[in-house]
Amino acid sequence: MYRDEYERWLAADLEDVDLKMELRSIKDDDAAIKERFAVALKFGTAGLRGTLGAGTNRMNIWVVRQATQGVADWVKTQGGTQTVAISYDSRLKGWTFARDAAGVLAANGIHVRIYDELMPVPALSFATRYYHCNAGIMITASHNPAQYNGYKAYGPDGCQMTDDAAAVVYDSIQKTDVLTGAKYMSFAEGVEKGLIRFVGEDCKQGLYDAIEARQIRPGAAKGSGLKLVYSPLNGTGLVPVTHVLNDIGIDDITIVPEQEYPNGYFTTCPYPNPEIFEALEKGLELAKKTGADLMLATDPDADRVGIAMKCADGTYELVTGNEMGVLLLDYICAGRIEKGTMPKNPVAVKSIVSTPLANLVAKHYGVELRETLTGFKWIGDQIAKLEADGEVDRFIFGFEESYGYLAGPYVRDKDAVIASMLICEMAAYYRSIGSSIKQRLEEIYAQYGRYLNKVDSYSFPGLSGMDKMAGIMENLRKNPPKEFAGKKVTKVTDYEKPEETGLPKANVLIYALDDGSTIVIRPSGTEPKIKTYFTTKGRDLAEAEAEKDKLAEAVKPLLA
């Protein structure tokens, strides 16, 4: 079966020399053919993501056209403006895939608004809302290594597509032959017919205005003397992040030269993910050299940001996603109360795998903290619910431990541009009162307790990886652990049981232990990995870390 499909691709005019050469090079390698053709990339709520190359199990123009035909079929049932917004980041083939998606939509009579330069996820979400689109498409593989690309699909609210819409699209994709099924016209023809238009400057400026309107203490950054080192990690952040920071008065910005401009090969870090030290290494070297107060890095599609803060002894310390989520929540609440801009009955939102320390901070400021499943679309869903009730201004902040933050309802996905602005404003403000981000974090720990949150990942590569992961999760449900490292399990929350959690179904298990620690076990939605999230608490960091290490050792054999 897969050999037949391979032969069909080999005989077809693939419009891409690289694909043709790759197919020829594997003609005697059955395992390589099977790996590319035995299955197809599955379209889900996160869209598509995979390695670039030839075949149904790879990202290429044919798989992109097939997916876009599925999106087009869904859009045609929706009424509305019959318009789709498209953006793309610096990934290899990004512009090619964006252009081909536009060609498929135009051939289906659907209008397209496409960015004329690479722009991040928040810009795509904003344009989808600004032009009242039926859908949005973002060509990105987020923080995956260079050999990946992907395709994120958005609904009319600027939020990642719902399960129901994604199921309809997937159904349509399955009925569309990958090589011959998608309607298609050239980009030039689409432009000529007035079906494809570029995103206007009014929309780009509208995003900047919306972000800058969310300053907590306007003017706090001007004249603060804050020294910043910034890395866009060769992605989309350079233009929007520096634009907004300059506007709010931060102009001492040193860009990491090797990571300044778009480069889909990500030659300076194999994994352009601001969660990991290797991605921040060049920035840290430069921060030490220049004596910067802060080092900031955004991922390629600029929806997530990681930082290192300068400590009193001149060293730099990385800040985790949980710590930054808590710092921003604390800063936004205190600042808005002080300025009289806090709405009545304010709402903040976090994912179930994010730190419980945020719950204590929210309670302290009288803020309702809602918890959602992992994936920022669920935070977007909470904003949509508030909007439907005419109360969208109640939303003040949302975050995920994986370095994603949003303050304001102008987009419905995480936004590293506003996060960068608020982090720099916060640093400038603390500097002006003789404090620092580091000092404020220590004050928060002194007030609420020394929490530690750590994530470990277990990889399951290859075609059998997903089956192994499913088997592990099934075994955990059939034979639930009674204890971990001598700590009794007091409660198991299984998110496969929505009747118990009040949330949509999800493949997540949370174990509450008798000393207040928690362990979360969750397969990734985008990669062949099982993630384990540990929350421990100690009198100091060393004690919290020792507790985490014991729990991690106890979990290891269960995931082998």
Side-chain angles (χ1 to χ4, degrees), residues 350-557:
K350 75 173 182 73
S351 63
I352 54 173
V353 299
S354 300
T355 181
L357 178 52
N359 301 58
L360 302 178
V361 172
K363 191 177 174 189
H364 173 78
Y365 289 109
V367 171
E368 179 193 342
L369 188 79
R370 298 183 182 179
E371 302 208 16
T372 67
L373 297 177
T374 309
F376 221 87
K377 64 174 183 172
W378 297 112
I379 294 175
D381 183 54
Q382 287 298 322
I383 304 171
K385 283 181 171 143
L386 288 168
E387 189 172 50
D389 294 337
E391 301 179 333
V392 78
D393 291 337
R394 287 175 62 198
F395 174 75
I396 58 164
F397 184 58
F399 84 97
E400 288 190 317
E401 51 70 45
S402 54
Y403 294 56
Y405 318 100
L406 177 64
Y410 59 96
V411 294
R412 297 296 155 85
D413 210 334
K414 44 198 182 283
D415 179 4
V417 185
I418 196 167
S420 299
M421 178 188 81
L422 289 174
I423 289 166
C424 290
E425 184 199 303
M426 173 169 69
Y429 169 72
Y430 288 142
R431 197 170 190 263
S432 74
I433 59 168
S435 180
S436 66
I437 290 180
K438 169 72 175 163
Q439 193 179 321
R440 182 60 196 146
L441 184 60
E442 292 307 327
E443 287 164 8
I444 289 169
Y445 282 140
Q447 186 173 347
Y448 302 103
R450 185 58 176 93
Y451 280 79
L452 176 75
N453 305 94
K454 285 274 170 138
V455 186
D456 291 345
S457 287
Y458 295 82
S459 288
F460 298 87
L463 286 174
S464 61
M466 290 311 213
D467 293 336
K468 278 185 194 154
M469 286 162 59
I472 287 166
M473 294 306 286
E474 190 183 347
N475 185 48
L476 286 168
R477 288 189 168 94
K478 277 185 182 161
N479 307 297
K482 301 274 190 294
E483 55 97 44
F484 292 92
K487 301 177 203 304
K488 279 199 177 72
V489 174
T490 55
K491 189 185 179 194
V492 183
T493 308
D494 184 351
Y495 285 83
E496 286 269 303
K497 298 174 178 169
E499 67 279 4
E500 288 176 22
T501 64
L503 292 172
K505 207 171 170 184
N507 193 6
V508 181
L509 290 164
I510 297 186
Y511 302 92
L513 309 183
D514 59 5
D515 69 339
S517 303
T518 58
I519 300 171
V520 182
I521 299 181
R522 163 189 171 261
S524 166
T526 53
E527 300 165 277
K529 283 180 180 176
I530 289 182
K531 292 186 171 185
T532 52
Y533 304 77
F534 301 93
T535 297
T536 53
K537 193 178 170 186
R539 281 165 299 201
D540 55 25
L541 179 59
E543 188 177 80
E545 277 179 339
E547 292 301 319
K548 183 264 162 184
D549 291 341
K550 284 184 214 160
L551 293 178
E553 275 305 309
V555 167
K556 223 181 246 175

Side-chain angles (χ1 to χ4, degrees), residues 19 37 42-43 77 97 129 157 192 210 238 254 267 269 315-316 321 331 340 375 402 406 418 449 471 519:
L19 296 184
F37 290 97
K42 191 171 184 329
F43 186 96
T77 66
F97 292 169
R129 294 174 63 77
D157 55 355
E192 215 171 278
L238 180 66
T254 306
T267 41
C269 57
T315 60
Y316 290 84
Y331 177 73
S402 54
L406 177 64
I418 196 167
I519 300 171

Side-chain angles (χ1 to χ4, degrees), residues 2-3 6-7 10 20-34 36-37:
Y2 61 87
R3 294 268 348 180
Y6 164 73
E7 295 295 345
L10 194 59
K20 210 70 173 166
M21 280 170 61
E22 184 185 339
L23 289 172
R24 286 189 188 127
S25 73
I26 61 168
K27 70 177 189 319
D28 299 320
D29 186 343
D30 190 65
I33 292 170
K34 186 175 184 180
R36 285 164 177 76
F37 290 97

